[in-house]
Amino acid sequence: MRYRNAREVFPAAIVEKLQEYVEGMYIYIPKKEESKKKWGESTSARERLLMRNAAIYQEYQQGMPKQELAQRYYLSEKSIQRILSLQRKQEAAEKT
C-alpha cells in the first residue's frame, strides 16, 4: 500500500467534501468485503502448509514420535499436537 494524494485520485468536488471532515491527515480506505482475499490465496503458502501438515500426520501414523517431528519440521511439540488434532478431525469428517 502506498501514499496517494487525494487530488490525484478523486475529482475536485469529492476532495472538497472530504476536507469538510479531515484536512492534512492520512486516511485508510478499506477494501470492499468482496475484494478481500483469504490468507495465502495470492501465494502457494496455504497449499504448502496443507501438504506439510499432511506429511506430519502421515509420518506420525507411521510411528515417528512427536518430539522428532517437532525437530524435523522446526516446530514446537504443541504445534505438532495441534496439527495432529486438526488432521484427525479432518480425516474423521472425510469418512462421514
Side-chain angles (χ1 to χ4, degrees):
M1 184 170 27
R2 64 187 183 94
Y3 165 83
R4 297 279 308 268
N5 188 312
R7 288 187 180 98
E8 297 172 4
V9 180
F10 302 114
I14 292 177
V15 172
E16 289 175 19
K17 191 67 174 170
L18 286 169
Q19 287 171 330
E20 291 177 19
Y21 298 92
V22 292
E23 287 185 86
M25 295 177 65
Y26 295 107
I27 301 173
Y28 173 73
I29 301 173
K31 288 184 176 187
K32 295 177 184 177
E33 284 298 318
E34 60 269 14
S35 299
K36 291 182 180 179
K37 291 183 179 181
K38 293 180 182 177
W39 179 85
E41 225 173 31
S42 300
T43 66
S44 61
R46 180 184 295 255
E47 184 179 313
R48 287 194 318 265
L49 285 177
L50 290 173
M51 290 173 57
R52 180 205 66 185
N53 292 351
I56 289 171
Y57 187 60
Q58 183 177 12
E59 290 173 23
Y60 178 74
Q61 288 182 314
Q62 293 170 352
M64 187 175 289
K66 293 176 190 175
Q67 185 178 14
E68 193 173 327
L69 287 166
Q71 290 174 350
R72 182 178 197 161
Y73 288 95
Y74 303 100
L75 296 169
S76 67
E77 285 187 53
K78 185 71 175 170
S79 292
I80 295 294
Q81 289 173 343
R82 200 174 302 118
I83 290 167
L84 295 174
S85 176
L86 288 171
Q87 291 294 122
R88 280 188 208 106
K89 288 178 185 175
Q90 183 179 346
E91 186 177 64
E94 289 173 0
K95 289 182 180 180
T96 59

